[in-house]
Amino acid sequence: MSGLLGVRLLLLETHFYLLTFPSVSLSQVEVYSVTVDCTVTSRFAHTVMTSKAFNKANSSQEIFFEVELPKTAFITNFSMEIEGQVYVGEVKEKEKAKKQYEKAVSSGQTAGLVKASGRKMEKFSVSVNIAAESNVTFVLTYEELLQRKLGRYELLTRVKPKTLVQDFQIVTNIYEPQGISYVDAHATFLSNELLPLVEKTVTDRKAHISFSPTMEQQRKCPGCDGTLIDGDFIVSYDVKREKNLGDIQIVNGYFVHFFAPELPKLPKNVVFVIDTSSSMRGRKMEQTRDAMLAILQQVHEDDHFAIVRFDTVIETWKDSLTKATKENITEAMDYIRRLYSRGWTNINDAVLTAVNMLVKDRQMERLPERSADMIILLTDGMPSVGVSNIGKIQENVLTAIGGNMSLYCLGFGNDVDYSFLDVMSRQNKGLARRIFEASDAVAQLQGFYDEVASPLLLEVDMHYPDNAVDSLTTSHFSQLFNGTEIVVAGHLMDNDLDNFLVEVVGQGVRKKGKTKEMEYIFGDFTERLWAYLTIQQLLEKRSSGTPDEKANTTAKALDMSLQYSFVTPLTSMVVTKPETEDSTSSPLIADKLTEGTWRKQSLKMIDCAPVDGDPHFMIELPDRGDALCFNINDKPGTIFNLVRDSNSGILVNGEIIGDKKTPPDGKINTYFWRFGIVHQTLGVRLEVTLMIDFYSFSYSVDLLVTKDRSLTVTLRDSVKFVILLHKVWKKHPYHRDYLGFYTLDSHLLSPGVHGLLGQFYHGINYEVADLHPGKVPEKPDATMYVKGQELNVTRGWQRDFRGDVKNGENVPCWFIHNNGTGLIDGHVTDYIVSGLFKSV
């Protein structure tokens, strides 16, 4: 079928601003220096990444600079030095920066930046045209407040130079006035030979870590050009603690207070709410069972717990919470082993069931008076049965919880609406976490539980003298967990530190007195830490509140982002790219994406899903102005499952046919020539070929035929399919007539829909980065991050025939090689069926 089999998905507008794809030989560009210089002062990290390159060619070349930085960091500066001229970035309001960029593009200027999100990191990439035998220096600066988790701070630097570098070094200096209790440094790429090169010097309050391998030490093997330096360099440490009220830093009129007391753990009462709907089938269900089995073994004997499984119906393991005795844990593990996927997704009733269990057990005094109540929800999809309006679900849950317990939401996989879970968690004293579909999903689930498994204090309030401080960051915390830390910062109105008293009030705990003031170190880090923390908290508050409150919060966060030169979701950094012989100066735009915004856009439903071609599959993404493509190659006569929705009883299969005879190049093209459509509930069985045949059919289906063009199949109260007829010249020596297949109203299918097309109907999450020349100059290659994998993809074109059945319209797309391996679930052979109306 020499048309285009496509799937139309509306997905995220990722910022792909890099528009030029020149062919550059890496051997013509020498990256001769890469340095990472990080200074940490009282948990506030300031990192400068510098890369220097030289164009050895006798003509100008496009040189790329690409780094990855932590998601929690804010870029504060980016600059380029070219032949002694420095081009410095300026932080602007995002809308203004976007207009400047669009104006440049409309005038024919092509330059830009790619920014995408990963698990813990974000990617920053930029290119610039450099004259022959010239140098360029890139400098990127970012800042972040290190968060204490599981009893340590972690500073992660991702290094991927991709070539041997003459001057390569990572230097980290840590200054902690409280005193450093331990420091560790390791890297994912460290071999036994490289390990001794990590130098570490630690005194009472300072630590110096460096790593500077020579070119020979970087080499993968003797005489080869490959580098061992490819991965994460991680410095972890902790500080000494004051046992009472914590420690305070005061510099230039701003203070920061760190509070991490040593207290006995509180018992907890936890209800695990587990999604077992159809979309959890297979690997996700298996990983959920494995994670829950491991977590149950960690539940402390003083804790109480319950299990709620949900799909279309709600089922509880027991009617009330149970003490975590060995016998009960063993029984619960047996229950978990029997979980299987079925039905749709009833999130509303599941969470309310968990809330009611905790409320009832509190009323019956079955739970310890001084203990922490929490719900941990694990789901991989959107609500699809019962109450499906996410705003109404959030309202119901907020009302039911009433501030009396915490809700933690784990979003599993690519199809979950993360924004929905994030808002609902924050409204109820909790937080949300994305669990990525990958081999380590079990470890991700266990890791999250470890973070919240040991509450120390509930309803913690940090009080400071009203006449001494203002502009406080958040000073109320719903809970404090073992191994974490409370951080409060603010502005001092009164420099009389004798009046600076602190009171900490928590459930059953009250402490009052002076904190220990640490010695002054340097600079304005406390003010920048205060600004960073304030902006982060303002951005979090934007997800809730009245429209006026959201507007005021946004305006304040924007003003502070501009004042302190932070690239946040509200701002962009603009760098004017130097003029070249071919173009005038043009701007580079650095944006910061938020995970919630990304998912909100990526989960819009598909309006049209086509399949048309050799056979070519295309996932079109109008919101991003982008598309993904892949081919399926197999022998003529093979039948593939395209759509399979067991919940609604809909099945679509397609059979391919080959050319009339083998062309001179020996490559036989294949095309879809007939489709089988089944709706079990409506009693519909329809075969569509180049001549339409009806095997079994009822009034529940509408057929609209446009002569010599198309057939539209509408299943009552359900999805609509359009089959296009492509006619080939009758005397063509090789090619045949063929059919194209398009899906409309796919949002009417359940979240559990699958098949070669169906798996993409409810969204796909991916990133594209590391643009580099491909085999063909006009078709660059790149790295795609999708479904926990890294794929090499190529920029190309496919045709969309809906508007013009004869000629089609060229649509640019990222082409995934090897029968879509890595993009589609499983292997292409998993979708082969034995008959036109047979299921997998």
Side-chain angles (χ1 to χ4, degrees):
M1 172 184 218
S2 119
L4 173 69
L5 169 55
V7 182
R8 282 188 186 275
L9 296 181
L10 287 163
L11 223 146
L12 145 86
E13 178 196 354
T14 289
H15 297 76
F16 288 97
Y17 292 127
L18 192 46
L19 304 176
T20 55
F21 305 104
S23 177
V24 180
S25 171
L26 192 61
S27 62
Q28 295 176 321
V29 175
E30 178 189 0
V31 180
Y32 61 89
S33 177
V34 173
T35 62
V36 181
D37 191 346
C38 181
T39 301
V40 181
T41 307
S42 291
R43 292 68 142 180
F44 195 62
H46 176 91
T47 301
V48 180
M49 309 188 82
T50 304
S51 180
K52 298 180 180 180
F54 176 67
N55 177 17
K56 299 186 293 185
N58 56 11
S59 61
S60 63
Q61 299 289 343
E62 199 84 358
I63 294 181
F64 290 80
F65 171 69
E66 181 178 277
V67 298
E68 293 183 66
L69 60 148
K71 278 185 173 182
T72 52
F74 289 154
I75 293 173
T76 60
N77 193 29
F78 174 69
S79 65
M80 300 181 295
E81 181 178 348
I82 304 171
E83 294 302 297
Q85 179 69 44
V86 178
Y87 304 88
V88 181
E90 179 185 0
V91 176
K92 294 187 176 183
E93 184 179 352
K94 179 168 285 188
E95 286 304 311
K96 292 181 180 178
K98 184 179 179 182
K99 288 178 182 178
Q100 181 175 347
Y101 170 77
E102 291 173 344
K103 182 179 179 181
V105 172
S106 65
S107 63
Q109 299 166 10
T110 56
L113 175 140
V114 178
K115 191 73 187 301
S117 296
R119 277 199 194 182
K120 294 182 179 180
M121 310 297 283
E122 293 178 332
K123 194 176 294 290
F124 176 101
S125 176
V126 69
S127 71
V128 64
N129 196 282
I130 301 300
E133 299 183 352
S134 297
N135 291 279
V136 58
T137 299
F138 300 101
V139 182
L140 178 71
T141 305
Y142 61 86
E143 295 176 334
E144 62 173 325
L145 176 63
L146 303 181
Q147 297 178 0
R148 188 170 186 251
K149 292 182 179 179
L150 301 176
R152 65 181 180 270
Y153 306 97
E154 186 175 277
L155 180 67
L156 188 153
T157 303
R158 184 158 294 170
V159 284
K160 293 176 175 285
K162 301 179 183 177
T163 185
L164 300 175
V165 180
Q166 181 178 339
D167 176 24
F168 179 91
Q169 61 177 340
I170 300 174
V171 178
T172 300
N173 289 293
I174 302 173
Y175 302 87
E176 288 290 352
Q178 289 174 248
I180 297 173
S181 62
Y182 88 94
V183 176
D184 182 46
H186 66 281
T188 57
F189 53 81
L190 281 184
S191 61
N192 291 333
E193 292 76 20
L194 290 177
L195 190 59
L197 301 179
V198 178
E199 297 181 0
K200 184 173 65 173
T201 304
V202 183
T203 61
D204 182 39
R205 298 179 180 179
K206 299 181 180 180
H208 175 84
I209 301 98
S210 64
F211 176 63
S212 184
T214 65
M215 288 184 71
E216 285 305 313
Q217 290 166 335
Q218 297 169 40
R219 223 178 275 276
K220 269 189 176 181
C221 57
C224 64
D225 294 331
T227 177
L228 290 167
I229 311 301
D230 184 4
D232 296 336
F233 189 86
I234 303 165
V235 176
S236 58
Y237 74 96
D238 200 12
V239 300
K240 298 174 182 177
R241 302 282 167 185
E242 284 294 313
K243 293 184 178 180
N244 294 318
L245 292 168
D247 302 280
I248 194 165
Q249 305 283 318
I250 299 175
V251 179
N252 293 341
Y254 286 85
F255 80 92
V256 56
H257 181 197
F258 302 101
F259 180 63
E262 294 181 4
L263 295 170
K265 300 173 185 177
L266 284 175
K268 65 179 180 296
N269 314 304
V270 56
V271 182
F272 298 100
V273 183
I274 304 171
D275 185 347
T276 58
S277 62
S278 296
S279 57
M280 287 286 289
R281 70 164 65 90
R283 191 183 188 195
K284 283 190 283 190
M285 195 73 255
E286 179 183 343
Q287 291 177 322
T288 299
R289 283 194 295 263
D290 290 345
M292 280 301 304
L293 291 174
I295 287 170
L296 285 172
Q297 295 181 67
Q298 299 172 24
V299 178
H300 195 272
E301 62 183 1
D302 291 335
D303 295 341
H304 289 71
F305 73 102
I307 301 170
V308 176
R309 67 169 291 181
F310 72 96
D311 37 73
T312 305
V313 298
I314 314 301
E315 177 183 295
T316 59
W317 169 54
K318 292 183 180 294
D319 292 337
S320 62
L321 278 78
T322 304
K323 193 165 186 181
T325 63
K326 289 183 179 179
E327 294 77 15
N328 287 333
I329 292 294
T330 300
E331 185 181 343
M333 292 174 68
D334 289 339
Y335 177 78
I336 291 296
R337 291 187 184 99
R338 296 193 299 269
L339 293 181
Y340 62 93
S341 57
R342 67 188 185 191
W344 290 32
T345 308
N346 189 345
I347 293 177
N348 183 80
D349 291 354
V351 177
L352 294 186
T353 297
V355 174
N356 291 336
M357 292 177 74
L358 283 164
V359 169
K360 182 178 178 181
D361 281 1
R362 279 288 179 192
Q363 292 172 345
M364 301 294 291
E365 298 183 353
R366 296 170 179 159
L367 305 175
E369 182 179 354
R370 190 166 181 267
S371 58
D373 296 345
M374 64 177 69
I375 297 168
I376 299 179
L377 165 68
L378 171 66
T379 181
D380 76 329
M382 290 279 287
S384 58
V385 70
V387 180
S388 58
N389 181 284
I390 60 176
K392 185 62 178 176
I393 295 174
Q394 290 167 343
E395 180 185 338
N396 292 344
V397 171
L398 181 63
T399 300
I401 287 180
N404 296 316
M405 61 195 71
S406 298
L407 172 65
Y408 300 95
C409 296
L410 302 179
F412 200 154
N414 305 315
D415 300 328
V416 69
D417 187 340
Y418 186 83
S419 294
F420 158 54
L421 299 180
D422 185 47
V423 171
M424 190 162 66
S425 296
R426 293 184 190 281
Q427 288 175 336
N428 295 284
K429 301 182 180 180
L431 56 88
R433 181 74 55 82
R434 186 186 302 285
I435 304 300
F436 292 84
E437 285 187 66
S439 58
D440 68 340
V442 173
Q444 294 178 59
L445 289 165
Q446 284 183 254
F448 175 83
Y449 178 77
D450 290 342
E451 291 179 32
V452 301
S454 302
L456 302 180
L457 276 177
L458 302 177
E459 305 304 334
V460 185
D461 285 294
M462 313 290 285
H463 296 295
Y464 305 91
D466 292 337
N467 59 349
V469 301
D470 64 1
S471 302
L472 272 181
T473 59
T474 298
S475 59
H476 173 81
F477 302 86
S478 300
Q479 57 272 313
L480 171 66
F481 294 103
N482 187 43
T484 65
E485 178 178 64
I486 284 176
V487 183
V488 180
H491 177 254
L492 288 173
M493 295 187 295
D494 184 353
N495 291 323
D496 182 4
L497 299 182
D498 291 335
N499 293 327
F500 197 83
L501 299 176
V502 175
E503 183 180 26
V504 179
V505 180
Q507 191 181 77
V509 175
R510 180 181 293 269
K511 294 185 177 184
K512 188 173 184 179
K514 283 188 176 182
T515 61
K516 183 179 178 181
E517 182 193 353
M518 296 294 119
E519 68 176 24
Y520 170 85
I521 299 181
F522 75 90
D524 62 348
F525 84 92
T526 51
E527 182 177 355
R528 293 193 65 79
L529 187 156
W530 164 80
Y532 171 96
L533 200 55
T534 301
I535 293 169
Q536 288 278 27
Q537 292 171 355
L538 287 170
L539 292 173
E540 291 174 1
K541 290 177 182 177
R542 288 199 308 152
S543 60
S544 58
T546 66
D548 286 344
E549 289 171 341
K550 291 180 181 179
N552 291 335
T553 300
T554 300
K556 186 174 181 180
L558 173 60
D559 287 343
M560 291 189 65
S561 299
L562 294 173
Q563 179 182 350
Y564 289 93
S565 294
F566 285 133
V567 177
T568 70
L570 304 175
T571 56
S572 299
M573 179 167 288
V574 181
V575 184
T576 301
K577 192 174 179 181
E579 296 183 9
T580 66
E581 295 178 359
D582 302 321
S583 68
T584 58
S585 61
S586 53
L588 308 175
I589 310 295
D591 282 341
K592 184 173 184 65
L593 303 182
T594 60
E595 193 161 23
T597 302
W598 184 353
R599 294 307 302 164
K600 184 176 180 180
Q601 295 184 35
S602 69
L603 287 169
K604 292 182 180 178
M605 301 303 180
I606 308 166
D607 289 328
C608 176
V611 50
D612 219 336
D614 183 22
H616 300 301
F617 291 71
M618 182 171 68
I619 306 166
E620 203 166 344
L621 317 169
D623 274 9
R624 296 171 72 157
D626 208 351
L628 309 180
C629 302
F630 62 96
N631 284 352
I632 296 296
N633 298 308
D634 213 302
K635 61 181 181 295
T638 302
I639 302 174
F640 292 103
N641 173 245
L642 303 179
V643 181
R644 180 180 70 257
D645 188 355
S646 56
N647 288 318
S648 61
I650 292 176
L651 177 77
V652 179
N653 294 330
E655 182 179 350
I656 59 175
I657 192 172
D659 283 332
K660 296 174 184 176
K661 60 181 181 179
T662 304
D665 61 6
K667 179 185 177 183
I668 296 181
N669 296 301
T670 55
Y671 321 91
F672 279 103
W673 77 282
R674 65 174 186 150
F675 298 104
I677 301 174
V678 176
H679 196 311
Q680 294 176 345
T681 307
L682 299 180
V684 173
R685 179 174 289 198
L686 174 68
E687 178 179 354
V688 181
T689 67
L690 296 173
M691 296 293 293
I692 299 173
D693 296 318
F694 303 94
Y695 270 42
S696 176
F697 145 70
S698 73
Y699 67 89
S700 300
V701 61
D702 292 328
L703 301 177
L704 174 63
V705 178
T706 302
K707 185 178 180 182
D708 294 332
R709 177 181 172 89
S710 67
L711 167 70
T712 302
V713 180
T714 304
L715 302 172
R716 188 183 65 185
D717 300 326
S718 186
V719 70
K720 180 184 297 183
F721 302 118
V722 178
I723 295 93
L724 296 184
L725 172 62
H726 297 279
K727 291 205 166 197
V728 177
W729 178 44
K730 289 183 179 180
K731 296 182 180 180
H732 196 288
Y734 310 113
H735 300 332
R736 302 175 183 268
D737 292 352
Y738 64 91
L739 299 176
F741 181 87
Y742 294 73
T743 307
L744 305 180
D745 301 324
S746 60
H747 61 280
L748 297 176
L749 295 169
S750 79
V753 65
H754 210 261
L756 278 172
L757 296 181
Q759 63 187 287
F760 301 112
Y761 284 166
H762 292 297
I764 181 170
N765 180 17
Y766 72 96
E767 313 160 17
V768 176
D770 185 24
L771 299 166
H772 55 275
K775 294 180 180 179
V776 180
E778 308 87 57
K779 296 183 177 181
D781 285 351
T783 299
M784 176 176 289
Y785 300 88
V786 61
K787 296 184 177 180
Q789 302 185 67
E790 295 185 18
L791 309 178
N792 183 65
V793 296
T794 302
R795 194 65 169 171
W797 295 269
Q798 298 290 9
R799 284 187 292 169
D800 182 341
F801 290 92
R802 287 171 304 146
D804 185 343
V805 177
K806 183 177 180 180
N807 301 310
E809 175 189 356
N810 276 337
V811 176
C813 67
W814 292 106
F815 185 82
I816 292 85
H817 303 275
N818 303 320
N819 287 329
T821 300
L823 178 68
I824 64 173
D825 292 337
H827 189 270
V828 66
T829 54
D830 299 335
Y831 300 87
I832 295 176
V833 294
S834 59
L836 200 61
F837 300 106
K838 298 287 187 180
S839 185
V840 174

